[in-house]
Amino acid sequence: MSAHITLGEALRRRGVSRRGFLKFCTATASMMALPPTMVGAVAEALESAPRPSVIWLSFQECTGCTESLTRSHAPTVEGLIFDHISLDYHHTLQAASGDAAEEAREEAMHAHWGNYLLVVDGSIPLANPGYSTIAGMSNLDMLKESAEGAAAIIAVGSCAAFGGLPKAKPNPTGAVSVADIIKDKPIINVPGCPPVPSVMTGVLAHYLTFGTIPELDVYGRPKVFFGQNIHDRCYRRTFYDRGLFAKTFDDEGARKGWCLYRLGCKGPTTYNACATMKWNQGASWPIEAGHGCLGCSEPDFWDAGGFYRALSIPINDPAAAIGIGVVAGAAIGIASGAMAHRKKVEATHHREPLKVEQLEGKA
Amino acid sequence: MTPMDFLQLVRGPLFDIALTIFIFGVLLRLFEIIILDRKRDLSEARGGEFIAGSKTIFRRFKPDREKLQHSPVPTILGYIFHLGFFICLLFFIPHIELIHSALGVSWPGLPNFLVDVVALITMGALVGLFLYRLTNPLLRFLSSFQDYFLLVVVFLTLATGYIAFHHIIEPYPLALGLHLLSVELLLVIFPFTKLMHTFTVFLGRYYNGAMAGRRGVQS
Amino acid sequence: MSTTSLQRGLEAWKEEMDAPLAAFFSSCVHCGICAEACLFYTETGDPKYTPIHKLEPLRRFWHQEFTLFGRLLKMVGLSKEITDAELAAWEPLVYDSCTLCGRCSQACPMGNDITYMIRKMREGFAASGHVPPGMVGAAGRAVRIGSPMGVKLSALQAQIGHIEQESGLKIPVDVQGADYMALLSSMEIMNFPEYLEALARIFEQAGVSWTLCSEAFEATNSGVQVGSKDIARELLQRVVDGAEKLGVKCVISPECGHAYYALRWEGPNLIGRTYTFQVLHILELLDQLRGEGRLKVEGQFEELLTFHDPCQIVRKGGVLAEPRNLLALISDNYVEMPDSREFNWCCGGGGGVSSNERAEALRLKVFARKKRQLDATQAETLVTACANCRLMLEEGLEEYGMELPVTGLTEMIAEKLASSSAEGRGERTEER
């Protein structure tokens, strides 16, 4: 596909009908929380959107994010959107390798300087650049170099967005997120381990439609997708309110589909679209499958106190706190009590009996 | 600091510190009291100390005519507040999970909407107690800064819990973090304020009942 | 140290510090319920009379000296030191407006025994020289003359003479080996000699072997009220010596509340050992005699009676059932006061207030509480079992223009003694 055809043309060439395209635009508009009247505008914008150049960098990651985005049920319009973008560099997917691959990246950067989108998945090791290199170049250097000419950066997955699993304690590689390094470019975080595929296409669609980045929350996540609380949108919420909880994964409560809070569900602290968009073309999602939310789209979810410990339980084992408190309290309490008691005994020993004459002031 | 960082901080190290200070302080205070001891009473006893003392511990949980008749407002609001606070503390399921994880004991909880109603009533009682303390000439005279301050802190634990539960403040990690922070504040000041009555009331009532019981009076 | 001083007062407080005191101070939540239980607050509406507030200096002292946190605050200068001027200012709260009645101790939801605390507080006030002059005077007379009212043995002997002449009964004095040694309060000797006569008649009928002791006839203990265990011990030792010298089995406390409490409950702790004799309140003994069928009465009082529970005998002394049992013997027409027994309201003159002239106006003012209680009963005769209460009630009734005879329970029993068994009166005592 050449660089100058529009998305509309590309879709028609692939046999997508006008009706199918509009259906996609409607879904996209509603996903982006736009009013129905905006569907036409979305369609028009997407129809004529030029094909953007995308450079996709993978650092300390597991390829799960790429898997999530490419393995969605085919064929879909979402898939075609990916087809439409000019994915000029993606070392997992591209055919080229070695020097040729790196040349493709540099070529795309020069050709679209200031206009290309940079997609990053995986975190960046700072402890020792040798932990992760591509063609002999450290992740840090490659990110800095690639970011320089980018119009915007999309950090895909929790590793790129927040450091993710590599950053989990004790963080041996000194992993950091994209936003920890790049300060002068707009960064859209699309966290999740992996992120919901339609969220990814939604973000791209928004960029293609408006040429701008969507409104972001405090974590740099698009509010339209990450503004909803899993717990608030969870179909099991009614059981939480009624106090009906599964206590093990095979008890009556679990079979009846009761709330998974006590099994460590992190729904209340998690903001993501899982509960409404679901996974695998809307087939299901983790909580529906009977497992509590891990909170994977939140920073440091790996260190948030254990996946199977209820949210109300403090992160650390209280044994140490209780132990120190008991020992110190007892020791200092006994010492202080003994001092007080000695004060009393001394006063008793030193006392001189009070005479009534003394009371009368005659003594 | 992001809301999640804040939550991790209050759920992690700050909670540990608060719990340590709480346990340390409570034990310190209790030892300071108990070690002072009391002199053996040489008078000929008319009744036993142990049973009378134990009875007094329970008897004074009951509302009596004396208090209801002469001090109705603090008595009734006081009962509502204490009962409500303990229902919220001990029968809200997330709290039961916390206690279970720390102590290994567990019991059935109440449906959340019930706890919710109780929390509202309890907060109402606290506001009532605060206003009563502020406006009643007797209570105003007796009250120190601590008396007002503690009502506010206890109210905050309930209010932030309510806010977190209802997602009134977003994002949730911030709301939950504020709840934990207010609880930690309560834990830290607990041993050094009149909140200690939670424990010393049992000592005090026992001593009172035992000394009276010895003289043949059930106090 | 030969004079009273702040330093000495604080040392006395250190000595008094114990686990109950510390637990009580730790428990107070400033709920104000004790104020509503105190007649000095309810009748004046002045919050400074809140019982726990009266203990404020002692609470601060405890916190500064006996808690780690308090010591730290003191070290960095964040807590106010106790001054002599402060104690002087507090003196009226600790003495004039507290009768040690113990009603607040019954009411406190935390179980604080506030009266117990005030008693300890007074030790420091006495040692620092902050005692009302009226009470110092009473204590001085008690130590030097033998009675707070200055009653000497000769006065008692004169009363004995009158009674023996009028009743034809013998009042035994200094009888070695008698079973019971009766004590009197000077109030009874001077104002209510009927008590002694009643005693003689009842014991005569019941065949009780008893005696008075010429060296120890005074039952009251000003030392306890002043708050000096040294003076209290000195006074109490006379009773103990007298009883042990005569070798009696039992000492009978008269109709006097504080005398009973001092003798029965504080005494052994003051002298540091248990007694070789038993202590009974006269009502306890009378109820025992009733139970054994040795107290025979005939006829009943027609008028409506009510009973004023003396705080130190009932609420603090544990003699609750006995007065009711005895009243039932002589009356069917009896009504309880509202708030009776453990929750009775004080006459206003306990804890040394009756000998504290400075407190008189306040005492009469707060008697309004008693008046309301009495009005509610519609009683025609008020019975009590404490001479001090009796005098305070009479004064209060007069102040409020109420016509209500006040009498002692022992006298009432004596009045209704069965005449048949009174035959041969005087013989038994003469046999000895």
Side-chain angles (χ1 to χ4, degrees):
Chain A
M1 279 186 279
S2 66
H4 54 265
I5 63 163
T6 64
L7 177 61
E9 280 168 46
L11 290 172
R12 273 189 294 282
R13 279 188 202 174
R14 297 290 292 264
V16 174
S17 67
R18 176 76 188 160
R19 181 185 163 84
F21 177 67
L22 283 176
K23 209 172 138 191
F24 165 76
C25 291
T26 309
T28 305
S30 83
M31 203 163 67
M32 294 189 295
L34 299 171
T37 49
M38 287 291 285
V39 172
V42 170
E44 201 178 310
L46 286 178
E47 277 262 71
S48 55
R51 212 168 161 242
S53 170
V54 172
I55 294 173
W56 187 306
L57 302 176
S58 297
F59 298 141
Q60 294 194 121
E61 49 87 46
C62 67
T63 320
C65 297
T66 303
E67 287 286 327
S68 168
L69 298 170
T70 55
R71 299 255 171 167
S72 53
H73 191 266
T76 63
V77 183
E78 289 97 318
L80 293 172
I81 290 254
F82 282 114
D83 285 349
H84 169 67
I85 59 175
S86 171
L87 195 51
D88 293 323
Y89 177 86
H90 187 307
H91 71 222
T92 311
L93 300 178
Q94 70 197 52
S97 64
D99 289 345
E102 293 316 303
E103 278 164 21
R105 180 175 66 88
E106 279 163 28
E107 208 179 287
M109 278 171 60
H110 288 125
H112 305 287
W113 188 260
N115 295 314
Y116 62 87
L117 273 178
L118 182 65
V119 179
V120 180
D121 68 335
S123 61
I124 301 96
L126 294 185
N128 181 340
Y131 282 128
S132 176
T133 60
I134 296 162
M137 191 183 218
S138 75
N139 289 170
L140 180 65
D141 290 343
M142 187 176 281
L143 175 64
K144 281 183 171 169
E145 187 184 298
S146 309
E148 215 184 329
I153 303 173
I154 305 180
V156 174
S158 293
C159 297
F162 304 130
L165 179 53
K167 196 193 161 200
K169 280 173 196 157
N171 190 5
T173 65
V176 297
S177 69
V178 173
D180 286 333
I181 294 163
I182 306 299
K183 304 288 182 191
D184 56 352
K185 294 283 172 187
I187 299 172
I188 307 165
N189 282 335
V190 185
C193 191
V196 183
S198 32
V199 170
M200 183 67 209
T201 41
V203 170
L204 277 174
H206 187 282
Y207 184 74
L208 295 175
T209 307
F210 301 108
T212 58
I213 61 164
E215 196 189 345
L216 305 177
D217 71 3
V218 62
Y219 294 121
R221 304 180 294 196
K223 276 189 178 170
V224 281
F225 305 112
F226 293 92
Q228 288 175 353
N229 183 264
I230 294 285
H231 184 60
D232 281 346
R233 298 284 162 170
C234 181
Y235 75 104
R236 296 194 189 211
R237 174 63 186 265
T238 166
F239 296 113
Y240 174 83
D241 292 338
R242 283 155 62 193
L244 297 173
F245 296 89
K247 286 179 191 153
T248 65
F249 282 109
D250 58 355
D251 69 356
E252 193 203 357
R255 279 191 289 277
K256 287 188 172 165
W258 290 351
C259 178
L260 300 165
Y261 183 94
R262 301 179 95 157
L263 287 168
C265 180
K266 301 295 179 291
T269 50
T270 306
Y271 293 78
N272 205 340
C274 303
T276 43
M277 289 185 174
K278 302 194 183 177
W279 289 71
N280 301 325
Q281 265 62 48
S284 184
W285 60 297
I287 290 176
E288 198 171 339
H291 194 287
C293 170
L294 302 183
C296 71
S297 60
E298 299 302 315
D300 300 324
F301 77 103
W302 202 265
D303 294 320
F307 292 157
Y308 301 101
R309 281 158 69 89
L311 198 54
S312 58
I313 301 173
I315 292 170
N316 304 324
D317 185 352
I322 294 173
I324 296 170
V326 166
V327 171
I332 300 177
I334 289 170
S336 175
M339 272 169 73
H341 193 262
R342 203 181 60 203
K343 204 178 273 186
K344 169 181 158 170
V345 171
E346 274 172 8
T348 313
H349 287 161
H350 297 151
R351 80 190 309 270
E352 184 202 343
L354 185 69
K355 290 280 178 199
V356 78
E357 291 78 17
Q358 294 170 343
L359 208 55
E360 288 165 335
K362 290 174 190 162
Chain B
M1 188 194 270
T2 65
M4 193 52 117
D5 289 341
F6 172 62
L7 178 61
Q8 300 297 75
L9 183 68
V10 295
R11 265 184 85 198
L14 284 192
F15 185 85
D16 297 341
I17 293 168
L19 185 66
T20 310
I21 292 176
F22 170 76
I23 293 172
F24 163 78
V26 167
L27 281 178
L28 167 78
R29 293 289 310 274
L30 290 179
F31 273 113
E32 277 179 345
I33 293 169
I34 293 164
I35 288 176
L36 273 179
D37 209 1
R38 60 188 173 124
K39 278 210 189 87
R40 195 167 67 91
D41 194 332
L42 297 168
S43 64
E44 189 194 341
R46 184 185 277 131
E49 288 201 350
F50 182 75
I51 291 173
S54 309
K55 262 171 109 173
T56 299
I57 292 178
F58 291 99
R59 274 166 65 101
R60 297 212 182 182
F61 278 122
K62 288 191 305 184
D64 58 43
R65 197 174 61 92
E66 167 71 20
K67 293 182 196 55
L68 287 171
Q69 194 177 316
H70 299 296
S71 316
V73 179
T75 305
I76 293 167
L77 289 180
Y79 272 104
I80 294 174
F81 154 64
H82 280 92
L83 276 173
F85 187 83
F86 280 104
I87 287 173
C88 294
L89 176 65
L90 298 177
F91 293 99
F92 183 50
I93 286 169
H95 296 165
I96 295 178
E97 280 301 313
L98 167 63
I99 293 163
H100 180 69
S101 79
L103 304 172
V105 289
S106 188
W107 51 80
L110 285 175
N112 290 349
F113 69 86
L114 272 182
V115 178
D116 205 28
V117 171
V118 171
L120 277 177
I121 294 171
T122 310
M123 284 190 274
L126 277 170
V127 171
L129 283 169
F130 190 91
L131 292 177
Y132 186 75
R133 199 171 269 289
L134 204 62
T135 54
N136 180 280
L138 170 64
L139 272 280
R140 210 188 151 97
F141 175 83
L142 291 178
S143 300
S144 57
F145 170 74
Q146 195 196 103
D147 294 309
Y148 298 105
F149 178 66
L150 291 179
L151 281 173
V152 172
V153 173
V154 174
F155 181 85
L156 277 180
T157 64
L158 282 154
T160 53
Y162 187 85
I163 284 169
F165 179 73
H166 288 279
H167 290 223
I168 293 170
I169 291 180
E170 292 284 4
Y172 181 79
L174 176 64
L176 181 61
L178 287 173
H179 178 53
L180 286 169
L181 189 67
S182 67
V183 170
E184 283 153 16
L185 175 64
L186 189 76
L187 287 176
V188 168
I189 60 177
F190 188 104
F192 310 106
T193 59
K194 67 174 186 174
L195 291 173
M196 267 306 283
H197 80 272
T198 313
F199 296 102
T200 57
V201 65
F202 296 100
L203 283 176
R205 285 183 187 170
Y206 177 80
Y207 288 136
N208 184 325
M211 292 189 288
R214 184 165 226 288
R215 302 192 298 262
V217 184
Q218 182 62 59
S219 71
Chain C
M1 281 188 282
S2 56
T3 57
T4 55
S5 66
L6 173 67
Q7 187 52 35
R8 215 171 157 183
L10 298 183
E11 287 298 311
W13 275 354
K14 283 183 191 168
E15 245 184 280
E16 292 302 313
M17 210 57 71
D18 63 2
L21 204 63
F24 297 153
F25 279 133
S26 303
S27 296
C28 179
V29 295
H30 290 163
C31 70
I33 285 175
C34 58
E36 304 287 354
C38 177
L39 72 170
F40 288 94
Y41 170 74
T42 63
E43 300 317 299
T44 62
D46 190 335
K48 74 177 180 189
Y49 292 126
T50 304
I52 199 74
H53 176 68
K54 296 170 189 170
L55 289 152
E56 189 52 24
L58 181 57
R59 186 201 65 77
R60 262 196 9 252
F61 184 72
W62 158 75
H63 197 247
Q64 288 171 1
E65 297 289 329
F66 290 83
T67 68
L68 182 65
F69 191 52
R71 282 205 295 273
L72 290 176
L73 285 182
K74 191 185 168 190
M75 230 183 276
V76 295
L78 279 177
S79 67
K80 219 166 54 170
E81 294 228 20
I82 315 283
T83 63
D84 201 54
E86 187 182 1
L87 297 192
W90 230 262
E91 185 196 299
L93 291 182
V94 181
Y95 289 97
D96 301 20
S97 66
C98 178
T99 63
L100 299 176
C101 82
R103 203 170 183 282
C104 49
S105 303
Q106 278 286 339
C108 175
M110 295 299 135
N112 287 0
D113 192 342
I114 300 169
T115 316
Y116 176 85
M117 301 161 92
I118 295 267
R119 170 68 187 85
K120 285 179 170 292
M121 179 130 173
R122 286 189 182 182
E123 288 286 337
F125 273 69
S128 62
H130 296 292
V131 179
M135 291 174 71
V136 174
R141 286 188 294 277
V143 170
R144 276 187 289 270
I145 304 170
S147 137
M149 292 173 76
V151 178
K152 293 180 180 163
L153 179 63
S154 54
L156 173 62
Q157 283 164 336
Q159 286 286 20
I160 290 174
H162 285 302
I163 293 165
E164 287 185 333
Q165 207 168 13
E166 276 174 30
S167 64
L169 290 165
K170 177 93 179 89
I171 308 279
V173 178
D174 292 335
V175 179
Q176 196 70 31
D179 289 344
Y180 295 94
M181 178 176 116
L183 297 176
L184 300 165
S185 66
S186 32
M187 202 88 82
E188 281 160 334
I189 302 168
M190 299 314 292
N191 301 25
F192 310 114
E194 306 90 307
Y195 171 75
L196 186 53
E197 186 186 340
L199 219 52
R201 293 180 54 204
I202 294 166
F203 288 167
E204 167 68 19
Q205 187 218 46
V208 170
S209 138
W210 72 295
T211 184
L212 291 178
C213 177
S214 61
E215 285 164 29
F217 56 87
E218 175 63 54
T220 60
N221 194 319
S222 307
V224 170
Q225 297 179 348
V226 159
S228 164
K229 52 190 178 190
D230 300 316
I231 296 171
R233 182 186 307 113
E234 198 176 336
L235 296 173
L236 186 96
Q237 192 66 50
R238 297 174 185 170
V239 175
V240 175
D241 290 346
E244 289 180 352
K245 188 171 156 194
L246 293 178
V248 297
K249 295 191 183 105
C250 180
V251 170
I252 305 164
S253 166
E255 288 197 346
C256 174
H258 280 283
Y260 176 65
Y261 192 88
L263 194 62
R264 176 71 175 87
W265 303 113
E266 282 214 25
N269 299 311
L270 290 172
I271 61 169
R273 64 171 172 88
T274 52
Y275 293 146
T276 56
F277 49 87
Q278 204 192 354
V279 173
L280 286 179
H281 187 259
I282 180 63
L283 295 189
E284 286 180 280
L285 176 58
L286 294 182
D287 195 46
Q288 268 179 23
L289 296 175
R290 180 196 61 83
E292 294 162 5
R294 293 163 71 187
L295 189 65
K296 297 190 189 64
V297 295
E298 58 183 17
Q300 297 213 315
F301 287 92
E302 301 297 318
E303 70 265 36
L304 181 62
L305 304 180
T306 190
F307 184 69
H308 165 78
D309 290 283
C311 310
Q312 305 297 320
I313 296 168
V314 179
R315 173 164 47 236
K316 288 181 71 190
V319 184
L320 280 93
E322 290 84 348
R324 270 90 193 163
N325 295 342
L326 293 167
L327 277 162
L329 212 57
I330 51 168
S331 172
D332 285 333
N333 196 13
Y334 167 75
V335 61
E336 285 283 357
M337 289 188 205
D339 293 337
S340 64
R341 297 168 183 260
E342 299 99 317
F343 279 105
N344 186 39
W345 292 93
C346 180
C347 65
V353 174
S354 60
S355 55
N356 179 359
E357 295 92 352
R358 188 177 73 190
E360 192 176 307
L362 181 62
R363 165 168 70 80
L364 289 170
K365 179 177 169 60
V366 302
F367 190 80
R369 170 54 80 172
K370 198 78 225 170
K371 176 189 181 327
R372 284 205 301 283
Q373 221 188 343
L374 290 171
D375 286 344
T377 64
Q378 305 268 308
E380 291 155 308
T381 295
L382 173 56
V383 189
T384 189
C386 168
N388 189 49
C389 290
R390 190 169 166 182
L391 194 69
M392 293 301 110
L393 290 166
E394 282 178 353
E395 284 188 25
L397 291 169
E398 195 188 323
E399 172 79 12
Y400 285 83
M402 293 165 76
E403 296 281 337
L404 182 65
V406 188
T407 181
L409 183 50
T410 309
E411 286 165 56
M412 295 192 79
I413 301 276
E415 219 177 295
K416 294 293 180 193
L417 275 188
S419 52
S420 58
S421 57
E423 283 169 15
R425 132 191 318 180
E427 280 171 20
R428 275 202 184 85
T429 36
E430 278 167 2
E431 277 166 14
R432 273 193 210 98

